[in-house]
Amino acid sequence: MNNDLVGLIASLVPTPRAHFLLTGYTPMSTIDKSCGVQKTSVLDVMRRLLQTKNIMVSCSTRLPTRYISILNIIQGDVDPTQVHKSLQRIRERRLAHFITWGPASIQVALSQKSPYLKSAHRVSGLMLANHTCIHKLFERVLGEFDLLYKKQAFIAPYKKERMFSDNLQEFEDAREVVHSLVEEYLACQSESYPKAEGAST
């Protein structure tokens, strides 16, 4: 695969702040156990990559949240025509809901299997996706932070440091950064983004 990491990710990030990506992988298996996965055609792999249970972040990808961009790296014995047919089936079935202000497309990169690692499957897939549902993760982080900060839990060691000796403004500034990131991803779901109120320029 003649691509570097920066080149692959650059197309997934529409704005500098919205750069937190989800990852998905299928099929999860060992050499001698396939974990119940039977089919590993290109379509089956690409379809399962869109399922929440195969995404390695605890966030639901159901509406109203939407995909901003998707890159699927398909590894194995793959015919490019199978990829095009699979993308067409995914579009017809509307398995992925994209933002309305950007291109609704799934990028696909093909990769050969490693000759040094055995695999129980003919085809496997890795997904890198930018999805607005990531804001739910940051909201949970904010909620847990607020509970701890209200009780001043784990604060004592920080107060011994020079930068926190006068106040804890650094914590409050950090919280504001995360909160503005939540608003950024929520604004991405709007049809008027990036002109939506609260979106960064």
Side-chain angles (χ1 to χ4, degrees), residues 6-191:
V6 174
L8 288 173
I9 293 178
S11 60
L12 298 176
V13 181
T15 62
R17 297 182 64 197
H19 65 270
F20 294 89
L21 304 180
L22 305 178
T23 57
Y25 186 82
T26 189
M28 284 289 194
S29 65
T30 60
I31 294 175
D32 57 350
K33 188 176 180 180
S34 61
C35 300
V37 174
Q38 301 296 328
K39 295 182 179 181
T40 56
S41 68
V42 176
L43 176 59
D44 292 315
V45 168
M46 292 181 68
R47 178 178 53 81
R48 283 198 295 267
L49 285 173
L50 297 171
Q51 296 174 352
T52 299
K53 65 181 181 180
N54 292 317
I55 294 176
M56 299 179 187
V57 176
S58 182
C59 296
S60 174
T61 56
R62 295 178 180 177
L63 291 172
T65 61
R66 293 177 177 273
Y67 283 100
I68 298 173
S69 53
I70 299 177
L71 169 65
N72 286 343
I73 302 175
I74 307 298
Q75 185 181 57
D77 184 15
V78 178
D79 185 343
T81 58
Q82 294 176 319
V83 174
H84 294 300
K85 291 180 180 178
S86 299
L87 290 172
Q88 185 176 0
R89 293 286 294 276
I90 289 173
R91 282 194 295 268
E92 290 173 351
R93 297 180 182 181
R94 298 182 180 180
L95 298 180
H97 300 282
F98 283 88
I99 42 93
T100 57
W101 48 267
S105 63
I106 300 176
Q107 301 176 68
V108 178
L110 301 181
S111 174
Q112 295 181 346
K113 283 186 177 181
S114 170
Y116 306 105
L117 297 175
K118 293 182 179 180
S119 174
H121 302 287
R122 185 176 64 87
V123 179
S124 60
L126 169 69
M127 179 181 72
L128 295 174
N130 202 340
H131 199 286
T132 62
C133 73
I134 196 72
H135 81 269
K136 297 177 182 177
L137 174 65
F138 294 119
E139 284 178 338
R140 290 200 298 269
V141 171
L142 288 176
E144 293 173 2
F145 169 82
D146 290 340
L147 289 174
L148 292 173
Y149 192 68
K150 183 178 181 180
K151 297 179 180 180
Q152 293 289 290
F154 307 107
I155 293 295
Y158 290 97
K159 290 183 176 180
K160 297 177 181 178
E161 301 296 328
R162 180 179 298 177
M163 65 181 297
F164 296 109
S165 59
D166 295 330
N167 57 60
L168 300 174
Q169 187 63 38
E170 192 77 17
F171 283 104
E172 296 170 8
D173 292 343
R175 189 201 183 286
E176 184 58 33
V177 169
V178 178
H179 177 70
S180 63
L181 184 61
V182 170
E183 292 184 333
E184 178 84 5
Y185 272 103
L186 288 172
C188 285
Q189 297 174 179
S190 170
E191 294 184 4

